[in-house]
Amino acid sequence: MTSTVVPGGHGRAVRVKSGQTVRVVNTHGTQVVDFWAIRADRPEIAMSMQHSRIPWRNLRPHPGDGMLDEERSTIMILTEDTSPGVHDTVIAACDPFRYAQLGAAPDHRSCCGNFTEALAELGVARKAAVPAPLNLFMNIPWDSEGNIEFLPTVSAAGDSVTFQAEVDLIVIASACPMDIVPINGPGGGKPVDVELIVE
Amino acid sequence: MTSTVVPGGHGRAVRVKSGQTVRVVNTHGTQVVDFWAIRADRPEIAMSMQHSRIPWRNLRPHPGDGMLDEERSTIMILTEDTSPGVHDTVIAACDPFRYAQLGAAPDHRSCCGNFTEALAELGVARKAAVPAPLNLFMNIPWDSEGNIEFLPTVSAAGDSVTFQAEVDLIVIASACPMDIVPINGPGGGKPVDVELIVE
């Protein structure tokens, strides 16, 4: 078992072998985690929300659901979710363009920056654009008309989501640095640490 | 004014200058149209559903909504929609992997294939993956639990959606070749032609 703390506002990448599990722990309960997986053998091929929704038949994944890559192979299974299951798959990861529009400082950290930085720290080069993320614990409810809202997390401290790898993977997690739009937890939105457990 | 017929199951790409409009006409009412836009000056940068939903605050675009690219610039405005407004933004374009899983012949046409073929016919080379499409007229309803269904179109013959370009663009439309999952209209799902009008 290896544990990796992802500091608030930062990202980390870890290797997960086929058959291993990776657990994303929302240590404080208030943190949105932008989460990606790419194939270890071909890092250009990523987990894809737009492909995964087809077998899910849902806007969100639930325990037992497979996570598909861009070639529609099942690369992970969501095996356990101790949170209320409120995750988002329809909103892009934050990036410098987003923070510029929100009036933040030019050096504001972002999930896209964290993705690239975390892979570089692992020595992985990747040319393709940052994939559409699975935004764990992110609370973007919809209504019957399709209207969506950006609301704080509803998860509790220690809630976790566990995936089992079906192929060798690299997973990347960003403890979202967003501190302007109030998605990061009730009462402030200060980015805090989360944990990745591989076993 | 230029009119381009997109044959059923095939794709076409057309250039749309800043200030011009492109109208996508569902000639027979039954056809799903996978629709993309890329910047003429930088074809690697595409219209993006995951970024556009943020200003839309909705799962679907409505008249007046801007279509954002992957750098969050507004590259088109949806100016008119004479259809019931039932479009999809959450499902990937069909591709050879999809048809293999559905048991179709290896040479079954696909929207991803049509995207690449149409750009090649226009002499445009692009390295990035086929972007997540705006699936015009595609009927993928959701419920309060996030469950989605694949249903036939609800549009009428002659329904159209019009976009005004904010920058010089190349737009690509595929008259979706899907003839297995019943999304292409009531009563059969035979791919039929649609029309692109630029003026």
Side-chain angles (χ1 to χ4, degrees):
Chain A
M1 194 270 276
T2 63
S3 165
T4 303
V5 172
V6 184
H10 290 248
R12 292 289 185 270
V14 296
R15 291 181 182 275
V16 186
K17 292 275 188 192
S18 177
Q20 286 188 314
T21 60
V22 56
R23 178 168 304 203
V24 185
V25 183
N26 203 350
T27 311
H28 303 278
T30 58
Q31 183 61 47
V32 166
V33 182
D34 283 44
F35 185 73
W36 300 269
I38 61 177
R39 297 184 69 105
D41 59 346
R42 289 182 294 152
E44 302 297 328
I45 307 295
M47 175 174 75
S48 168
M49 298 299 101
Q50 59 165 341
H51 295 89
S52 295
R53 291 185 198 107
I54 299 175
W56 298 347
R57 287 294 193 279
N58 202 285
L59 297 174
R60 290 173 174 157
H62 296 81
D65 280 340
M67 318 300 290
L68 268 56
D69 68 15
E70 293 154 314
E71 296 180 347
R72 302 184 193 249
S73 293
T74 301
I75 57 172
M76 294 195 307
I77 309 273
L78 196 171
T79 52
E80 188 180 15
D81 186 351
T82 72
S83 82
V86 173
H87 311 294
D88 168 70
T89 71
V90 304
I91 298 300
C94 59
D95 58 21
F97 302 105
R98 175 81 160 134
Y99 287 108
Q101 290 174 347
L102 291 170
D107 63 348
H108 197 292
R109 299 190 66 84
S110 73
C111 283
C112 284
N114 288 346
F115 176 91
T116 304
E117 191 176 275
L119 281 184
E121 283 171 3
L122 207 63
V124 177
R126 189 174 186 276
K127 291 177 187 166
V130 177
L134 169 55
N135 294 313
L136 293 170
F137 314 112
M138 187 168 171
N139 183 12
I140 309 286
W142 57 83
D143 69 14
S144 59
E145 297 302 307
N147 297 298
I148 57 175
E149 287 183 277
F150 287 70
L151 296 181
T153 58
V154 293
S155 40
D159 279 356
S160 68
V161 185
T162 305
F163 302 89
Q164 178 167 315
E166 297 287 299
V167 297
D168 292 352
L169 294 171
I170 298 162
V171 305
I172 306 98
S174 170
C176 179
M178 178 57 73
D179 51 5
I180 304 169
V181 179
I183 55 169
N184 276 321
K190 184 179 181 306
V192 291
D193 58 298
V194 300
E195 188 181 7
L196 297 176
I197 298 172
V198 176
E199 56 189 336
Chain B
M1 193 269 274
T2 63
S3 164
T4 303
V5 172
V6 185
H10 290 249
R12 291 289 185 272
V14 296
R15 291 183 181 275
V16 185
K17 291 276 188 192
S18 177
Q20 285 187 314
T21 60
V22 56
R23 178 169 304 206
V24 185
V25 184
N26 202 351
T27 311
H28 304 278
T30 58
Q31 183 60 49
V32 167
V33 182
D34 283 44
F35 186 72
W36 300 269
I38 61 177
R39 297 185 69 107
D41 59 346
R42 289 182 295 150
E44 302 299 328
I45 307 296
M47 175 174 75
S48 168
M49 298 299 100
Q50 59 165 341
H51 295 89
S52 296
R53 292 185 198 105
I54 299 174
W56 297 347
R57 288 292 193 280
N58 202 284
L59 297 174
R60 290 174 175 158
H62 296 80
D65 280 341
M67 318 300 289
L68 268 55
D69 69 15
E70 294 155 313
E71 295 180 348
R72 302 183 194 251
S73 293
T74 302
I75 58 171
M76 293 196 308
I77 310 275
L78 196 172
T79 53
E80 189 180 16
D81 186 351
T82 73
S83 82
V86 173
H87 310 293
D88 168 69
T89 72
V90 304
I91 298 299
C94 59
D95 58 20
F97 302 105
R98 174 81 160 135
Y99 287 109
Q101 291 175 346
L102 290 170
D107 63 348
H108 197 291
R109 299 191 66 84
S110 73
C111 284
C112 285
N114 287 345
F115 175 93
T116 304
E117 191 175 275
L119 282 183
E121 284 171 2
L122 207 64
V124 177
R126 190 173 185 276
K127 291 178 188 166
V130 177
L134 169 55
N135 294 313
L136 293 170
F137 313 111
M138 188 168 171
N139 183 11
I140 308 287
W142 57 84
D143 68 12
S144 59
E145 297 302 308
N147 298 298
I148 57 175
E149 288 182 276
F150 287 71
L151 297 182
T153 58
V154 293
S155 39
D159 279 356
S160 68
V161 185
T162 305
F163 302 89
Q164 178 167 315
E166 297 287 299
V167 297
D168 291 353
L169 293 172
I170 298 162
V171 305
I172 306 97
S174 170
C176 179
M178 177 58 74
D179 52 4
I180 304 169
V181 179
I183 55 169
N184 277 321
K190 184 178 180 311
V192 290
D193 57 298
V194 300
E195 188 182 7
L196 297 176
I197 298 172
V198 177
E199 57 190 335

